[in-house]
Amino acid sequence: MSGGSGTRLWPASRGHCPKQFLPLVNETTMIQDTAARLAGLGSLAEPLVICNESHRFLVAEQFRAEGYKPSGIILEPAGRNTAPAVALAALHAVKDGNDPLLLVLAADHVIQDHEIFHRAVDQARLAAVAGGLVTFGIVPAHPETGYGYIKAGEGEVSREVKAFVEKPDRATAQSYLDAGCYFWNSGMFLFRASVYLEELQKFQPEVLNACRQALASEHPDLDFIRLDEEAFKQSPDISIDYAVMEKTDRAVMVPLDAGWSDVGSWSSLWDVSPKDAAGNVCRGDVLTHEVSDSYLSSTDRLVAAVGVDSLVVVETADALLVAAKDRVQDVKAIVSQLKQQQ
Ligand code: GDD
Ligand code: MG
């Protein structure tokens, strides 16, 4: 799934080139890293990418550059969130009478330990073959309100999901953290295509109908799979979490402790990046003197900082961000102001 806009990573992440297409953590981009972490996983077909049609050449070129071949690139004429994006993948997968397992991944996550990730996927296969909608659960570190929370029941490897709550408010998130039996939803899933489609039919039939019609006139053009625009736009705009995961009784959770991060903001990028002795992440042409715990990045000019602590400075050709590291969630307020000005 490569449809997010990554607004909190402005000014690096932009509408025409959102974060999944940027080399934010190392020298390769996040979507390239997503494809790379599949190497070594058994019984896997080539990845199917679902993205906005305006990003088709970015996807094709970034796959080609690293020698990856997608099995297809489904082009959405508009963003309708992840429930329809996954429905398109599932409908495409079952069209020749097949019913494969779908490993649903976000194109913009970091996973540090590939071996542990592979082990979790292999463990999840058993539950998915048995008809479960498997989500990978992360031990929560703080009362994040931007994530889904899973109340996990008993089980050694795959655990029963007693409740799934998408994006609770701060007080609820804190109570989940205190309770101890809750995990974050990583936003990665494994299930049989038909099982997802059945649950979508039950809870959001409008999404399924719109996607079915949009794919009815599916016409391949090289690797690109184009949709009927009018039909697809009829789909409600809803995430898989609200549409299916909160409602289904077929959810199962496999815990994952592999250094996962969705790098939603500059501070979470700081968290997962290699740092110097003073705790600074410096990317590009950057000089520091008595600077600590900061994220400093430059693409076009030399950036120099003196005597500051816990600061984020991101320089690009046409914009410069300076923010306190504990306030970077609010970068999206700047993006809203920019949108209003346009
Ligand atoms: N193709 C496509 N089309 N992909 C999309 C679309 C869309 O319309 N909208 C989002 N995506 C992709 C994003 O690029 C990202 O890779 C993934 O789907 C998840 O979307 P986000 O918008 O980043 O979701 P979120 O972060 O608010 O919440 C989800 O992820 C959290 C973990 O990072 C939920 O699954 C939460 O429950 C979860 O905790
Ligand atoms: Mg996200």
Side-chain angles (χ1 to χ4, degrees):
M1 301 184 292
S2 173
S5 50
T7 44
R8 282 171 299 160
L9 290 177
W10 183 90
S13 179
R14 302 286 177 99
H16 64 273
C17 190
K19 68 171 175 172
Q20 59 269 32
F21 302 115
L22 299 172
L24 287 173
V25 185
N26 43 41
E27 300 314 311
T28 43
T29 69
M30 305 202 76
I31 197 169
Q32 288 171 332
D33 293 346
T34 306
R37 82 173 61 101
L38 301 175
L41 257 178
S43 318
L44 213 58
E46 304 298 348
L48 176 66
V49 183
I50 308 108
C51 68
N52 190 279
E53 64 185 3
S54 63
H55 297 144
R56 64 193 181 280
F57 295 123
L58 274 172
V59 171
E61 174 52 26
Q62 295 201 355
F63 267 65
R64 194 206 55 77
E66 291 294 304
Y68 306 127
K69 179 139 181 44
S71 67
I73 303 174
I74 299 183
L75 305 181
E76 295 165 313
R80 285 291 180 272
N81 216 318
T82 52
V86 178
L88 293 171
L91 288 166
H92 179 77
V94 299
K95 88 175 168 346
D96 297 323
N98 302 322
D99 188 11
L101 296 184
L102 301 182
L103 175 60
V104 177
L105 302 174
D108 51 3
H109 288 173
V110 165
I111 293 179
Q112 277 160 342
D113 193 321
H114 291 184
E115 231 171 84
I116 295 179
F117 170 62
H118 289 184
R119 216 174 303 141
V121 172
D122 284 333
Q123 287 163 345
R125 282 183 210 261
L126 297 172
V129 165
L133 292 155
V134 185
T135 142
F136 297 90
I138 313 287
V139 174
H142 51 105
E144 168 68 52
T145 54
Y147 291 162
Y149 284 74
I150 298 158
K151 185 177 187 189
E154 297 308 309
E156 269 296 297
V157 180
S158 46
R159 299 174 61 167
E160 178 200 350
V161 171
K162 288 191 159 161
F164 185 110
V165 181
E166 180 65 1
K167 304 200 167 106
D169 61 27
R170 170 74 50 167
T172 311
Q174 184 63 55
S175 72
Y176 291 164
L177 219 63
D178 298 341
C181 54
Y182 282 81
F183 288 74
W184 283 336
N185 171 36
S186 65
M188 305 186 291
F189 307 96
L190 186 76
F191 40 67
R192 225 178 245 306
S194 62
V195 172
Y196 177 71
L197 294 172
E198 276 166 28
E199 296 303 89
L200 199 59
Q201 172 66 45
K202 229 183 273 173
F203 304 119
Q204 281 284 331
E206 305 87 347
V207 170
L208 190 57
N209 289 340
C211 292
R212 210 172 254 142
Q213 287 189 16
L215 270 169
S217 63
E218 158 183 343
H219 56 282
D221 159 16
L222 302 171
D223 288 336
F224 300 134
I225 299 159
R226 292 176 189 280
L227 308 175
D228 182 278
E229 178 170 353
E230 284 317 306
F232 186 67
K233 283 184 170 165
Q234 297 306 311
S235 170
D237 185 321
I238 186 166
S239 75
I240 180 174
D241 319 284
Y242 287 118
V244 173
M245 297 311 293
E246 276 198 334
K247 305 202 173 68
T248 183
D249 57 10
R250 296 166 86 170
V252 172
M253 189 200 83
V254 169
L256 178 70
D257 182 10
W260 170 91
S261 168
D262 82 336
V263 285
S265 67
W266 290 112
S267 62
S268 58
L269 197 53
W270 177 86
D271 283 336
V272 299
S273 301
K275 297 167 199 64
D276 67 17
N280 298 315
V281 175
C282 299
R283 291 182 63 90
D285 204 2
V286 172
L287 289 176
T288 58
H289 177 73
E290 295 183 359
V291 172
S292 54
D293 298 329
S294 294
Y295 185 96
L296 306 154
S297 149
S298 123
T299 53
D300 280 65
R301 282 157 292 184
L302 167 68
V303 166
V306 177
V308 291
D309 173 57
S310 300
L311 201 66
V312 169
V313 179
V314 179
E315 182 270 350
T316 67
D318 63 349
L320 171 68
L321 170 74
V322 180
K325 187 148 62 65
D326 61 356
R327 295 297 309 278
V328 288
Q329 298 298 333
D330 295 340
V331 168
K332 56 176 185 277
I334 300 290
V335 177
S336 313
Q337 286 184 41
L338 277 169
K339 280 195 183 134
Q340 277 167 15
Q341 284 172 12
Q342 280 165 4

